[in-house]
Amino acid sequence: MESALVLALILLVVLYFYTKRPSSHYAPLPPGPKKLPLIGNLLDMPTTFEWETYDRWCKELGSDIIHLEVAGTSIVVMNSAEVAEELLDQHSAIHSDRPRLVMVNELMGWNFSFGLMAYGDEWRAQRKLFQQEFHPQAAERFQPLEVRVTHQFLNRLLEDPKNYVHHIRHLAASTILGIAYGIDVQEDNDPYVDAAERALVSLGLGIAPGVFLVESIPALKYIPEWFPGAGFKRKAREWARYSTIMRELPYVAAKKEILQGTAQPSFTSYSLEKLAEGEEDVAEQEQRVQSTAATMYTGATDSTVSVLSTFILAMLAKPEALKRAQEEIDSVVQSGEFPRFSDQERLPYVTAIVKETMRWKNVTPLGIPHASTSEDLYRGYRIPAGSIMVPNIWAILHDENTYPEPHTFKPERFIGEDGKINPAVKDPDTALFGFGRRICPGRFMAFSSIWIAVASMLAVFDISKPVDENGNVIEPTFEYIPSMACVPAPFECALKPRSAQAEDMIRSMASEHS
């Protein structure tokens, strides 16, 4: 009798809590590939060009939102602008966290970066610090530096065109180290560039999905390095050293020059100047400046290399676009001069080339995933708390309903009948730089530095497919290497000054900046 009473009470308690659970519990998960017990979709998960597989699954399932599960981890893929904007923008209060990233943040020391850290007070403080110096008006202060390093870049292309990727990387480093720290980059073997490149390579290896088991079983981070299978711990220790050097080396140099009164204006100098006027804890604030400056380098370097390499590849794919852009520049920019930022409004086709380059082969096809802090209900589907939220930016920017012939390089898609940028065509920027509270705060500076580099190259260089010793055209493969920042597979191109006057302009401007 007593056991029956206890059982009845238990059933009543279970029934009570069952009926009190949120209504979203009854909602189904978004559709997705069939899941196996315990491991879910672990065996289905792609290891390369994941965005294409996700897009194919969405089309097969007739849904622009799908759900995957990998060993208990909930993953939501958003395959359209509508879904990504509604969840990550309109529901940003609960979808702005980051996945845990045990290897990178907890073992390799990248938890200093507000691009990778969890959503919270420190993230807000660093983002606010960044935005103070890089809103559109403030970012204009750095345009003279962007012009100077671009002109130096043109001279390096003129002297050694075959090593164009190396020169693009040098341009990227010169731009961001100058903006972040006021540091001039050496031509070769620059210690700040070398330190950052080692750190960025290790970051790419550490953040690669599915490589390290510790991401699925975080408790493994506590095993000692000597334990069998703990090679990831030894790698993490070495890679953590790289991230520390990258964060500290340029900052110490910049601070030294600031104290000596020889520093060039930079994010660090502006931020420390304001810090001296504040009343908050100086050591904590200074650490925040150091971390934010290092985050800038992390986000800017590889993306610049990717976009400018893709631009060159695009000119090989569509030489008529290059000719049209050059005609536009010639009609606007006075002979013997380089394009200026003030010319941008009168060079809409050049701007269209930049937009199409960034859309055609976007740098980060899946962006950096968000994470949900609580359960959500969307379109009648349940989004579990703790879900990894993956915006398929590649699919958004290759939606044929928005961008007809999406796999073709067509800058003219952004030009209206009046010859200006057509506001009716969705700007790729709305997806390229992320969503919601995690949108890239450096997007204005990033676009401006890419624009001036592209406009300047078009003004003085012809870009064409090279020929071999037998006169045969060497065709590029148009293949890409998947990574944190996707880059074209190595390809050859012919970069030649458009005229003797163009060559003289390049040399003259380079000597002026030296």
Side-chain angles (χ1 to χ4, degrees):
M1 182 69 178
E2 289 183 1
S3 59
L5 180 60
V6 170
L7 180 60
L9 288 172
I10 291 173
L11 289 173
L12 286 172
V13 170
V14 170
L15 181 62
Y16 173 82
F17 283 106
Y18 187 81
T19 58
K20 292 296 180 182
R21 277 186 291 190
S23 60
S24 61
H25 175 78
Y26 301 105
L29 294 167
K34 185 177 180 180
K35 301 173 177 64
L36 295 174
L38 298 178
I39 63 172
N41 300 111
L42 179 63
L43 303 180
D44 301 320
M45 296 300 287
T47 57
T48 186
F49 297 100
E50 300 95 320
W51 44 94
E52 295 183 6
T53 300
Y54 295 158
D55 185 53
R56 174 170 56 82
W57 284 344
C58 286
K59 285 181 168 58
E60 290 173 353
L61 293 164
S63 175
D64 54 357
I65 178 172
I66 61 173
H67 182 267
L68 308 166
E69 186 178 304
V70 179
T73 299
S74 172
I75 301 172
V76 174
V77 177
M78 298 157 285
N79 213 58
S80 71
E82 180 183 3
V83 176
E85 290 168 2
E86 288 179 350
L87 281 173
L88 302 184
D89 290 347
Q90 298 175 27
H91 296 200
S92 62
I94 59 175
H95 298 305
S96 294
D97 207 1
R98 287 287 192 222
R100 186 173 173 181
L101 299 176
V102 180
M103 185 70 176
V104 166
N105 280 344
E106 299 175 29
L107 295 178
M108 291 170 55
W110 282 88
N111 53 344
F112 71 84
S113 171
F114 74 85
L116 300 173
M117 70 172 55
Y119 184 73
D121 291 341
E122 180 60 24
W123 176 85
R124 293 186 189 91
Q126 286 197 31
R127 186 177 177 86
K128 179 181 178 182
L129 180 63
F130 193 108
Q131 287 179 316
Q132 286 174 349
E133 304 301 336
F134 292 102
H135 59 78
Q137 290 71 39
E140 290 178 3
R141 293 178 300 186
F142 299 109
Q143 289 182 352
L145 182 146
E146 294 170 353
V147 169
R148 174 170 59 84
V149 298
T150 295
H151 292 164
Q152 293 168 343
F153 162 67
L154 298 176
N155 190 58
R156 286 190 291 272
L157 283 179
L158 178 65
E159 297 294 338
D160 182 19
K162 288 188 176 181
N163 285 320
Y164 67 91
V165 174
H166 173 76
H167 304 320
I168 292 173
R169 189 166 292 280
H170 190 279
L171 165 68
S174 298
T175 302
I176 199 60
L177 284 170
I179 290 173
Y181 303 103
I183 290 175
D184 289 326
V185 174
Q186 298 175 14
E187 188 64 37
D188 294 303
N189 301 318
D190 184 272
Y192 309 112
V193 174
D194 291 345
E197 288 189 355
R198 284 196 300 269
L200 290 172
V201 168
S202 65
L203 173 62
L205 295 171
I207 206 170
V211 174
F212 296 103
L213 189 59
V214 70
E215 296 295 344
S216 299
I217 310 176
L220 291 176
K221 77 173 189 174
Y222 298 109
I223 66 174
E225 287 188 12
W226 53 262
F227 198 81
F232 72 94
K233 290 287 293 285
R234 294 186 289 275
K235 289 179 179 179
R237 175 166 51 82
E238 178 67 11
W239 292 346
R241 189 170 68 87
Y242 296 157
S243 70
T244 300
I245 294 171
M246 183 199 77
R247 190 166 73 255
E248 295 180 352
L249 188 66
Y251 182 80
V252 170
K255 190 175 178 183
K256 180 180 178 181
E257 292 192 356
I258 291 169
L259 294 173
Q260 292 174 343
T262 59
Q264 299 180 46
S266 67
F267 164 80
T268 298
S269 68
Y270 288 134
S271 298
L272 290 181
E273 182 181 345
K274 291 180 180 178
L275 174 60
E277 303 168 357
E279 300 179 356
E280 296 186 63
D281 181 80
V282 173
E284 179 182 339
Q285 292 296 310
E286 190 172 333
Q287 183 70 38
R288 189 164 290 146
V289 172
Q290 183 189 65
S291 296
T292 306
T295 301
M296 291 170 59
Y297 193 102
T298 307
T301 309
D302 283 352
S303 58
T304 300
V305 174
S306 174
V307 173
L308 291 182
S309 298
T310 292
F311 158 70
I312 294 174
L313 188 63
M315 295 302 94
L316 303 187
K318 193 161 185 177
E320 58 268 32
L322 178 136
K323 295 302 180 186
R324 178 173 171 179
Q326 289 176 333
E327 289 171 1
E328 181 180 73
I329 291 170
D330 293 344
S331 69
V332 169
V333 179
Q334 187 172 339
S335 177
E337 294 188 358
F338 286 97
R340 297 182 174 91
F341 281 107
S342 57
D343 297 320
Q344 185 169 339
E345 189 173 341
R346 296 186 298 154
L347 296 174
Y349 193 75
V350 173
T351 299
I353 282 180
V354 175
K355 291 180 181 294
E356 180 69 346
T357 297
M358 299 171 81
R359 182 208 68 81
W360 183 51
K361 303 287 185 181
N362 59 297
V363 177
T364 51
L366 297 177
I368 301 178
H370 293 217
S372 302
T373 53
S374 60
E375 190 170 284
D376 197 7
L377 187 65
Y378 176 71
R379 290 187 184 174
Y381 294 129
R382 179 168 60 92
I383 310 296
S387 292
I388 296 175
M389 308 293 289
V390 180
N392 192 344
I393 296 174
W394 178 88
I396 292 170
L397 297 179
H398 291 80
D399 182 349
E400 60 186 13
N401 296 314
T402 307
Y403 308 105
E405 299 180 64
H407 301 286
T408 301
F409 184 82
K410 294 180 61 176
E412 56 273 18
R413 73 173 78 246
F414 295 105
I415 302 296
E417 293 182 0
D418 59 358
K420 299 179 181 180
I421 294 295
N422 185 357
V425 179
K426 195 174 183 68
D427 195 323
D429 284 7
T430 57
L432 281 168
F433 294 105
F435 298 90
R437 301 179 189 185
R438 288 286 183 169
I439 192 170
C440 174
R443 59 194 181 279
F444 307 111
M445 180 188 69
F447 189 88
S448 68
S449 63
I450 293 293
W451 187 90
I452 197 65
V454 167
S456 300
M457 290 176 69
L458 288 167
V460 294
F461 280 107
D462 280 324
I463 306 170
S464 59
K465 296 174 184 177
V467 295
D468 62 21
E469 61 275 10
N470 298 318
N472 300 313
V473 174
I474 302 174
E475 296 285 346
T477 64
F478 295 100
E479 294 178 354
Y480 271 68
I481 300 171
S483 183
M484 268 189 68
C486 292
V487 295
F491 65 93
E492 296 182 46
C493 68
L495 284 159
K496 298 177 181 178
R498 294 178 63 194
S499 64
Q501 182 190 37
E503 184 173 348
D504 290 342
M505 285 170 55
I506 295 169
R507 295 191 190 281
S508 175
M509 190 61 73
S511 63
E512 184 178 317
H513 289 310
S514 61

